[in-house]
Structures are given as structure tokens and as C-alpha cells.
Amino acid sequence: MLRKKIIKNRKKLTDKPKITIKKDIVAPLQTVKGMRDILPEDWRYWDFILERAKKLCQAYGYRQIETPILEETSLFSRSVGEATDIVEKEMYSFYSKSRENLSLRPEATAGIARAYLKNGMANWPQPVKLFYFGAMFRYEKPQAGRHREFWQIGYETLNDPSSVLDAQVIQLAFKIFEKIGLKNLTIQINSIGCPECRPEYQKLLKDYYRNKTNRICLNCRNRFAKNPLRLLDCKEEKCIQIINGAPQSIDHLCSECHNHFKEILEYLDELELPYTLNPFLVRGLDYYTKTVFEICPETGPFAGLALGGGGRYDELIKILGGEETPSLGYSMGVERTVQEMKNQNISVPPLFTPKVFLTQLGESARKKSLKIFQDLTEANIKTGESFGRGSIKSQLKVADKLGVKLALILGQKEAIDKVIIIRDMKTGMQEIVRLDKVIDEIKKRLKNI
Ligand code: AMP
């Protein structure tokens, strides 16, 4: 009987999902729900954000890290928390061919904490400061500012308990948005205590909710049983009314958490950063202790929606099997930041604007053109071309559209004579120059235009 059962189960494990392919079906043209192509137009924004964020992170002592997109599922259930929305409902988890339970990363902190342990970073000079940029995956309901694949830029400071670091992490987060040009942002901040004081607060919260469970949403009833702190995060109207009367964690902090929080607020005052105490801010990940914060637009379509968020996670590395390693971090969503830039009409430079356009006519000129194009780009002259087009007229049309200052014209005769024509696109004036002098001549002209 048992043997039969084992064999039956074994069959189940090795069973391939049945895929029926209908004949005559064309290849799918849609992306998977909640996932998008990031087109070159968008990359103008992405590059703009990434370049500024990267420079600032480096200036604040962070070094880049990339962890795998796939990790063992247990990494996230142990760190983000079994009873969080992310782990309960939002992970893309599956069994690999060798039966490992794997998940696409829903966030980066857990992977970085794992990397800290795996790579013996405790032996590096402390604190270890790392930043990252990459795609995260959460099976959420797609809507404005919420996708199933989204990108984050973030940073982590591992192994430093001081409140000045909390303030610096917030300072940097705000600075990145400032450098991007965003205005009207506010920092919401709260302290959710530590293992010392939080259980007492959670008990108070449960006591408060106990006779109200018939008035809260279904999700909150689940939170009441499994993760009471998350009750404070509900966005349902009927629950918000109850949240407003709930006890607040900042009134029930132990003296260490209280002082830590007070010091952070003093640093933020000193930095003149715009912050608001939000006593109901808890965030969606269980690993947080003490400080939690979010940065949101104050007005506009994304008012109150977090562009970025972070906090302290003093227990995380211990939970994963390491030593006491008080740490903290932050991550910002790239899609939301791009959208907010558009909401605030922040323009970004085009990705590539050629200053010079190389045209050619005839077989031997085209052959030479490839080398000339290479020489121009190596000399840092932004050069456009349309080698596939035949006539000079059609190539000059493209040059005109691109708004280049100078066009270079290489015909059969010029190719033989080792010269090239430089045409000023504004005046239409043309001049023949020797090929070996063309780079110097262009540089001179571009400087004078
Ligand atoms: P979290 O990892 O939940 O702390 O989120 C940090 C930031 O990532 C948020 O403030 C958002 O900007 C962004 N983010 C989180 N989830 C999503 C999502 N589903 N779609 C787009 N951006 C997201």
C-alpha cells in the first residue's frame, strides 16, 4: 500500500505540466501580466536616475553589489516573514528540476544579508556599505505605480547600531530625489520598537482590536491572528477609522528605542529635512526593528504613495544564522520615481544626440566610412549615420531631423582623393578637408558653433 503511494507520488513529482499547443496560433505578443518592456525612451529616465543615485551612493561610501535574482524560498520566508503579504501571496515560487524550492526575489535586503554571511563580510572593515540596482518580482494586483516586475535602487549599511547612520540613510534617500529634481516630498517616519518592547505593544494592539474584529476587513482579521502590527497598514475605509484610535508604538518604546528615535529626529532637524511622524507607519516586511520610514510626494496623483522606503533590521542577520549585526537600509522604486518625474514635468536629456552626421555615396566610400565612423567615435565626437540608405539626399534628411551641426559627405571621388566634405547644416556652406585632418577640423568647428 505504502509502496503504491510512493510510486504514485513519485509519478506526480516527475509529471510534466500538460501543455497543449493549438495549431495555427501565432506567437504571443503580450508581456506577462504586470510586466513591461522598458523601451529606449524610458531608459532616458532610468539612466538619469541611476547615474545620479550611483554617484551619490558612491560618495556616501557604498559599493555596488548584485545578488542572484533567484534565491531559496526559505530565505524570504525567514527574513521577510511567513505572515507578510509578500511571502503569503506575492512570491513567484517554484520547484526547480532538482526539487529546490526557489523564488524570484521580491526585494533585495534578504539576499544582501545572505551575501554578507556567505562571503564572510563580517571580516571586512565595518560597517559594510553596499548598494544595488535590479528587478524585483511580486505577484501583486497591477495598477498605477504597482507592477509585478519592478526595479529598485537601494543601499544597505550592515553592522552599525548608531542613530546617526539612520539619519544618514534618510539624508541620502532624500538627496537622491533632490538630485533627480523632485520637489514637494515628505519623509514619514516611525519607530516600531525592538524584540524587547514590541511584544508588549503588540499585546496592547491586540487588546484594542479584540472587541472590534467584526468591524474590520477579512484581511485584517487574518492580520489580527498572525501579524497584528500589519493591522495598522490597512487602506480600507472602515479599518482606517479603527486604526486612528489604536495605541501607538512610539508611546511604548523601551528606553533604548526611545533614545535612538529621539536622536534620529534631532539629526533630521539639524539637516532641516522635511519629516512627519506617522505613528501608524509599519511597512510590509517583518524584519524591521526600530526605525521605519518612507518618502512620498505631498501632492499630485502619487500623493502619499511611497517612492522609497526603508528602516532598521537589527535582528535580520541573526535570524539567518549570523552574529548580532545591527543594520539598516533603503530602497526606491524606479518606475514610481520615473512616473513622479513625469508628474512633476521634469525633463531629461535625450540619450544620444549626434553632433556630426556621416554620409557616404558609392561602394568604396561606404567601405571607408566604417573606419572614419570608428575614428570619430574614438575621438569622442558624437556621430550619426544611416549607412543603409543610398542617396546623399535621403541621408542628409536624416541628419537634418537629428539637428546635427555638421554633415560629412564622402563620395567616390573624395574616397579616392582621401578627402571629405564638411557641410555646415545651418548655412549650407561646404568645404573640402583632408581625411587625416578631419577630426581636428570638426573639433575646432564644434567648439566655435
Ligand atoms: P519595499 O521593498 O516594499 O520597501 O518598497 C520600496 C519601494 O519599491 C516602494 O516605495 C516602491 O517605490 C517600490 N515598489 C514596491 N513594490 C512595488 C510594485 N509592486 N510596483 C512598483 N514599485 C514597487
Side-chain angles (χ1 to χ4, degrees):
M1 186 63 193
L2 185 65
R3 200 179 141 71
K4 236 184 193 174
K5 211 171 172 183
I6 290 172
I7 290 171
K8 203 172 147 204
N9 279 348
R10 190 182 301 154
K11 184 166 181 307
K12 245 190 220 158
L13 294 181
T14 51
D15 266 357
K16 293 241 167 68
K18 275 191 193 131
I19 301 172
T20 42
I21 301 169
K22 281 190 199 157
K23 278 185 189 153
D24 306 330
I25 274 191
V26 288
L29 298 177
Q30 301 301 321
T31 49
V32 172
K33 190 174 172 188
M35 314 218 166
R36 315 173 318 147
D37 299 313
I38 306 158
L39 298 176
E41 246 325 279
D42 278 328
W43 271 102
R44 296 191 303 132
Y45 288 86
W46 288 54
D47 262 352
F48 186 82
I49 296 169
L50 184 61
E51 191 208 313
R52 276 152 188 78
K54 202 169 166 169
K55 259 197 196 136
L56 274 166
C57 284
Q58 282 164 343
Y60 278 63
Y62 291 88
R63 292 187 294 163
Q64 193 156 3
I65 184 170
E66 172 66 18
T67 59
I69 288 175
L70 264 187
E71 298 267 9
E72 283 184 22
T73 299
S74 61
L75 172 68
F76 303 113
S77 47
R78 279 166 70 189
S79 53
V80 175
E82 290 278 8
T84 54
D85 285 352
I86 293 181
V87 170
E88 261 190 352
K89 307 180 212 156
E90 296 170 2
M91 285 218 292
Y92 283 88
S93 302
F94 59 93
Y95 283 98
S96 70
K97 287 187 176 144
S98 52
R99 306 299 300 157
E100 299 155 299
N101 187 351
L102 305 177
S103 294
L104 296 181
R105 62 182 179 198
E107 57 100 58
T109 306
I112 292 178
R114 184 212 33 73
Y116 181 89
L117 292 170
K118 178 180 184 288
N119 297 290
M121 292 186 201
N123 298 319
W124 296 8
Q126 306 291 303
V128 174
K129 292 173 107 182
L130 301 167
F131 78 91
Y132 60 87
F133 168 64
M136 311 295 151
F137 302 84
R138 293 184 198 169
Y139 192 80
E140 293 191 82
K141 195 170 168 210
Q143 51 189 279
R146 203 168 286 284
H147 311 278
R148 290 184 172 172
E149 178 183 18
F150 59 96
W151 289 67
Q152 288 185 333
I153 299 172
Y155 47 87
E156 316 287 345
T157 301
L158 299 133
N159 205 10
D160 198 307
S162 17
S163 54
V164 67
L165 262 294
D166 297 55
Q168 196 191 37
V169 161
I170 298 171
Q171 178 193 28
L172 174 56
F174 201 79
K175 194 92 221 148
I176 293 173
F177 287 132
E178 247 180 22
K179 267 274 177 279
I180 291 165
L182 289 178
K183 297 203 166 60
N184 293 327
L185 301 181
T186 180
I187 301 158
Q188 298 199 11
I189 186 166
N190 190 23
S191 173
I192 54 170
C194 67
E196 182 84 9
C197 52
R198 196 188 300 161
E200 183 58 29
Y201 169 65
Q202 274 177 321
K203 191 176 161 298
L204 279 174
L205 196 60
K206 275 195 106 163
D207 288 347
Y208 168 78
Y209 268 87
R210 189 151 287 118
N211 60 2
K212 300 178 181 64
T213 49
N214 55 353
R215 289 198 272 139
I216 55 180
C217 70
L218 208 65
N219 255 341
C220 278
R221 271 181 230 165
N222 191 27
R223 289 169 180 150
F224 176 78
K226 293 188 183 165
N227 195 351
L229 221 55
R230 297 282 296 148
L231 284 162
L232 303 176
D233 210 21
C234 190
K235 303 286 179 279
E236 294 247 347
E237 195 49 50
K238 61 179 177 186
C239 299
I240 290 176
Q241 285 172 16
I242 296 174
I243 291 170
N244 287 335
Q248 304 181 356
S249 56
I250 37 172
D251 295 330
H252 303 279
L253 298 175
C254 60
S255 62
E256 196 202 310
C257 287
H258 177 87
N259 291 340
H260 187 92
F261 193 50
K262 195 169 137 270
E263 283 160 18
I264 297 170
L265 300 186
E266 284 166 7
Y267 288 123
L268 296 185
D269 285 334
E270 187 67 31
L271 289 166
E272 296 183 16
L273 286 173
Y275 70 86
T276 322
L277 272 181
N278 177 351
F280 301 121
L281 183 69
V282 287
R283 317 223 63 241
L285 305 103
D286 273 3
Y287 53 60
Y288 283 120
T289 48
K290 293 184 176 163
T291 327
V292 286
F293 73 97
E294 286 183 350
I295 301 182
C296 318
E298 278 186 303
T299 51
F302 273 6
L305 185 70
L307 301 182
R312 244 189 198 280
Y313 46 88
D314 289 350
E315 305 298 312
L316 177 57
I317 291 189
K318 226 164 51 184
I319 292 170
L320 296 178
E323 300 288 318
E324 179 97 32
T325 312
S327 304
L328 68 163
Y330 166 78
S331 71
M332 58 183 271
V334 180
E335 284 83 355
R336 281 189 200 174
T337 305
V338 169
Q339 190 50 53
E340 184 57 19
M341 287 173 75
K342 291 179 182 170
N343 295 345
Q344 295 196 17
N345 294 320
I346 296 172
S347 53
V348 292
L351 272 186
F352 180 74
T353 35
K355 297 271 186 291
V356 171
F357 195 90
L358 178 58
T359 66
Q360 41 68 43
L361 188 66
E363 205 42 47
S364 56
R366 183 179 288 170
K367 272 185 194 147
K368 278 219 158 73
S369 295
L370 286 177
K371 173 77 171 66
I372 298 170
F373 182 83
Q374 179 178 292
D375 293 345
L376 289 163
T377 51
E378 274 175 8
N380 282 329
I381 297 169
K382 287 185 179 168
T383 309
E385 49 75 24
S386 186
F387 289 153
R389 275 169 221 259
S391 78
I392 292 283
K393 199 171 159 208
S394 67
Q395 292 175 66
L396 283 177
K397 241 190 199 164
V398 180
D400 203 37
K401 254 195 196 153
L402 287 171
V404 295
K405 313 268 185 229
L406 303 171
L408 301 174
I409 303 166
L410 187 75
Q412 294 288 70
K413 183 171 176 340
E414 287 78 21
I416 293 163
D417 295 350
K418 296 196 173 63
V419 294
I420 198 161
I421 300 168
I422 300 185
R423 178 189 174 93
D424 185 312
M425 290 298 283
K426 204 163 159 198
T427 61
M429 296 268 280
Q430 298 194 162
E431 194 186 331
I432 297 173
V433 292
R434 271 171 47 191
L435 259 182
D436 57 358
K437 293 273 186 276
V438 71
I439 287 182
D440 288 343
E441 184 59 31
I442 288 172
K443 281 189 171 168
K444 202 165 76 196
R445 287 187 182 215
L446 287 179
K447 219 183 257 168
N448 295 336
I449 289 174

